[in-house]
């Protein structure tokens, strides 16, 4: 009776073995990437797969082929080859190839564990194709997928049917990918999504270092953080240190704020966005351009450096450097500066202007013009109140000129005061 039962089991398992080798072999052929010459193995030198334990073991001899069938009753089937150990409920071995079913486990070097429902293992090539509920563990990293090809020599895991990698607080998913276990690097392609406590990233192609937690953008990428969004087509994001650099069509958006530059850098520790090269910033009717623009999110300050220009609905400002406070709407300039405010022009080496109080102080070679009243004043220092058109000029013997009946009137004094009656 037992012989008949075992014979039936052997026939069923043999048929399954043949079907699996055919069907899974086709799948493997479809997803196997081109292997660089440096990663090819000399299959003639590979060690044989050794059986360490099996509760039931049978052999099938047919047409010169010898098939070994191993099954669990109380304890899992145990196999090994070199530095790799394999466990399963059922195994079929032909020459140096293994088909395994049920609670499949691969352990390698005490640092890599792979779990799956089934396995096709080519012992000479040291390549494992794992199926259904696949989990690869390496240190703190976990890779989850339904179909995985794993090379035990190069320690490269490949998938083409979607996978997820978790690393402490970071989770990454994509449709295709290569995970280089030894190098702690992974390359992802197609519908890449990274979710972290600090941000969410969507990308076309991405390289991720699982040890340093640095994501390198290799194609169009969109990063969302709170209400801010950054788009780029190249760059990197250091998730551990909250530092990033975005290049190639880099764009930033937060509410009404929009920015572009050759390079956009993010310094998370300081909550700063830095735009470098052809930097442009826009918020509603406010626009700014400069060689470099720095946005301090903590203090809501904007710094423009080099060929700085700022304008809104009422004024135009240009200087070497401009500091704009979004909360108080105050402006500070450094270097030769010019403010055009409707009908009035103010030029100086430095200007400090509060838009809320509409009070300003200008110092250094000050030149003020009222284009309507045709009045000009030059001095070393000036205080200005826009609400009353009050101007107090001091230093350097202030000079005022004005046109009266077509003639120019010159007035010099230690202090000049102009105001609207």
């Amino acid at each position: 009776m037992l012989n008949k039962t075992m014979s039936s089991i052997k026939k069923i398992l043999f048929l399954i073995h043949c079907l699996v080798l055919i069907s899974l072999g086709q799948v493997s052929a479809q997803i196997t990437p081109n292997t660089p010459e440096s990663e090819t193995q000399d299959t003639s030198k590979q060690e044989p797969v050794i059986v360490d334990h099996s509760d039931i073991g049978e052999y099938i001899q047919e047409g010169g082929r010898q098939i070994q069938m191993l099954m669990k009753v109380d304890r899992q089937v145990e196999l090994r080859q070199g530095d790799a150990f394999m466990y399963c409920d059922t195994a079929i071995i032909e020459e140096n190839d293994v088909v395994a079913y049920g609670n499949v486990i691969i352990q390698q070097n005490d640092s890599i564990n792979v779990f799956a429902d089934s396995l096709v293992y080519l012992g000479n090539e040291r390549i494992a194709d794992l199926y259904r509920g696949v989990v690869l563990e390496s240190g703190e990293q976990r890779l989850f997928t339904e179909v995985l090809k794993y090379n035990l020599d190069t320690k490269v895991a490949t998938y083409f049917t979607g996978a997820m990698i978790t690393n402490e607080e970071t989770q990454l998913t994509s449709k295709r990918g290569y995970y280089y276990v030894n190098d702690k690097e992974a390359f992802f392609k197609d519908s890449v999504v990274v979710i972290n406590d600090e941000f969410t990233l969507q990308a076309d192609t991405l390289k991720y270092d699982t040890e340093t937690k640095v994501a390198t953008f290799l194609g169009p990428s969109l990063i969302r953080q709170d209400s801010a969004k950054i788009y780029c087509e190249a760059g990197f994001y250091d998730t551990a240190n909250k530092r990033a650099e975005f290049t190639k069509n880099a764009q930033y958006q937060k509410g009404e704020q929009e920015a572009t530059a050759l390079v956009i850098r993010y310094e998370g520790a300081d909550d700063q966005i830095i735009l470098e090269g052809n930097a442009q910033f826009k918020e509603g009717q406010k626009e700014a351009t400069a060689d470099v623009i720095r946005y301090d999110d903590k203090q809501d300050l904007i710094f423009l450096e080099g060929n700085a220009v700022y304008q809104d609905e009422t004024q135009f400002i240009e200087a070497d450097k401009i500091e704009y406070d979004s909360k108080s709407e105050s402006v500070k300039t450094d270097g030769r500066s010019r403010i055009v405010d409707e009908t009035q022009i103010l030029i100086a080496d430095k200007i400090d202007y509060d838009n809320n109080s509409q009070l300003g102080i200008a110092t250094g070679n000050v030149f003020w013009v009222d284009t309507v009243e045709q009045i000009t004043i030059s001095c070393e220092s000036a205080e200005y109140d826009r609400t009353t058109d009050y101007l107090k000029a001091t230093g350097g013997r202030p000079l005022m000129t004005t046109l009266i009946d077509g003639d120019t009137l010159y007035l010099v004094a230690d202090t000049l005061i102009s105001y609207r009656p």
Side-chain angles (χ1 to χ4, degrees):
M1 184 68 178
L2 179 60
N3 290 338
K4 290 183 179 179
T5 301
M6 291 303 301
S7 178
S8 298
I9 292 174
K10 287 188 290 186
K11 289 179 180 178
I12 293 171
L13 289 175
F14 179 71
L15 289 173
I16 293 174
H17 164 69
C18 294
L19 289 172
V20 168
L21 284 178
I22 293 172
S23 62
L24 298 189
Q26 290 173 346
V27 174
S28 298
Q30 293 171 4
I31 69 172
T32 301
N34 293 327
T35 304
E37 291 183 5
S38 60
E39 294 186 1
T40 58
Q41 295 90 40
D42 184 356
T43 59
S44 64
K45 297 180 181 179
Q46 294 293 2
E47 300 178 42
V49 174
I50 297 172
V51 179
D52 283 334
H53 174 81
S54 177
D55 290 335
I56 298 176
E58 293 289 329
Y59 290 88
I60 297 176
Q61 189 78 33
E62 185 173 306
R65 299 171 59 196
Q66 186 176 19
I67 300 174
Q68 188 176 6
M69 308 181 66
L70 311 169
M71 287 180 289
K72 165 192 171 182
V73 176
D74 298 315
R75 177 178 156 192
Q76 276 196 305
V77 176
E78 298 176 11
L79 311 173
R80 62 183 164 92
Q81 185 191 43
D83 62 351
F85 295 83
M86 303 180 197
Y87 307 88
C88 61
D89 294 342
T90 302
I92 301 171
I93 303 175
E94 182 177 359
E95 295 182 350
N96 220 26
D97 298 335
V98 179
V99 177
Y101 305 94
N103 301 307
V104 175
I105 302 173
I106 297 177
Q107 293 180 335
Q108 189 176 24
N109 293 336
D110 296 326
S111 60
I112 300 170
N113 297 309
V114 188
F115 306 89
D117 181 66
S118 58
L119 161 75
V120 175
Y121 179 67
L122 306 180
N124 290 337
E125 289 82 4
R126 296 259 290 174
I127 292 176
D129 287 303
L130 300 111
Y131 302 89
R132 290 177 293 279
V134 183
V135 180
L136 185 151
E137 295 181 349
S138 176
E140 297 176 349
Q141 285 75 47
R142 304 287 187 276
L143 186 152
F144 302 87
T145 186
E146 288 301 302
V147 180
L148 183 73
K149 179 181 290 293
Y150 179 60
N151 188 314
L152 276 72
D153 278 337
T154 62
K155 295 182 179 63
V156 177
T158 309
Y159 62 87
F160 286 82
T161 58
M164 175 177 70
I165 288 182
T166 61
N167 182 330
E168 294 180 348
E169 73 281 359
T170 302
Q171 174 181 301
L172 186 150
T173 59
S174 70
K175 289 186 178 179
R176 294 183 285 159
Y178 295 84
Y179 181 24
Y180 295 81
V181 178
N182 276 351
D183 297 332
K184 310 291 186 186
E185 282 188 345
F187 290 83
F188 306 99
K189 177 73 176 176
D190 197 354
S191 303
V192 183
V193 177
V194 180
I195 298 175
N196 184 281
D197 292 340
E198 300 291 333
F199 72 96
T200 300
L201 163 68
Q202 294 172 281
D204 172 72
T205 306
L206 182 75
K207 181 178 81 170
Y208 185 66
D209 190 310
T210 60
E211 188 170 45
T212 63
K213 302 178 185 177
V214 174
T216 302
F217 315 122
L218 304 174
S221 306
L222 177 65
I223 300 95
R224 300 175 188 270
Q225 188 175 48
D226 297 328
S227 58
K229 294 188 293 184
I230 295 179
Y231 172 85
C232 69
E233 294 169 11
F236 71 88
Y237 196 136
D238 184 340
T239 64
N241 297 303
K242 299 179 184 178
R243 293 183 60 255
E245 185 174 291
F246 310 98
T247 60
K248 203 171 181 182
N249 197 22
Q251 305 171 38
Y252 168 82
Q253 182 179 2
K254 182 179 180 181
E256 287 190 330
Q257 298 173 355
E258 297 178 359
T260 60
L262 295 180
V263 178
I264 296 178
R265 291 194 291 115
Y266 170 66
E267 300 292 344
D270 301 322
D271 267 351
Q272 287 194 1
I273 300 290
I274 302 169
L275 294 79
E276 299 178 347
N278 297 329
Q280 299 183 20
F281 182 89
K282 184 177 181 181
E283 182 178 11
Q285 293 183 306
K286 304 180 181 77
E287 293 187 24
T289 61
D291 295 337
V292 177
I293 297 177
R294 291 187 295 117
Y295 174 61
D296 189 325
D297 196 28
K298 285 182 179 178
Q299 303 182 61
D300 210 8
L301 295 175
I302 300 172
F303 300 89
L304 290 77
E305 302 170 1
N307 301 305
V309 175
Y310 170 83
Q311 60 183 333
D312 56 27
E313 62 273 18
T314 61
Q315 61 185 355
F316 173 90
I317 305 172
E318 61 180 351
D320 291 337
K321 297 180 181 180
I322 299 174
E323 177 184 326
Y324 176 72
D325 188 327
S326 298
K327 293 178 181 178
S328 64
E329 295 189 355
S330 63
V331 176
K332 294 180 181 179
T333 72
D334 193 5
R336 200 61 181 159
S337 311
R338 182 168 70 103
I339 295 181
V340 180
D341 191 348
E342 296 180 345
T343 62
Q344 298 176 349
I345 301 172
L346 178 62
I347 301 174
D349 292 340
K350 288 186 179 182
I351 299 173
D352 191 344
Y353 181 75
D354 189 322
N355 198 47
N356 284 336
S357 64
Q358 300 201 4
L359 295 175
I361 298 175
T363 56
N365 299 311
V366 180
F367 187 75
W368 178 81
V369 179
D370 187 321
T371 58
V372 174
E373 299 296 331
Q374 294 184 308
I375 297 173
T376 66
I377 294 176
S378 59
C379 59
E380 282 301 308
S381 179
E383 298 176 15
Y384 176 66
D385 185 340
R386 187 184 175 200
T387 58
T388 61
D389 283 342
Y390 171 87
L391 178 71
K392 180 181 178 181
T394 59
R397 296 288 286 175
L399 169 66
M400 181 186 78
T401 63
T402 183
L403 286 176
I404 299 178
D405 296 329
D407 294 326
T408 301
L409 174 66
Y410 295 89
L411 180 61
V412 178
D414 290 336
T415 301
L416 287 174
I417 296 177
S418 171
Y419 61 93
R420 184 174 62 241

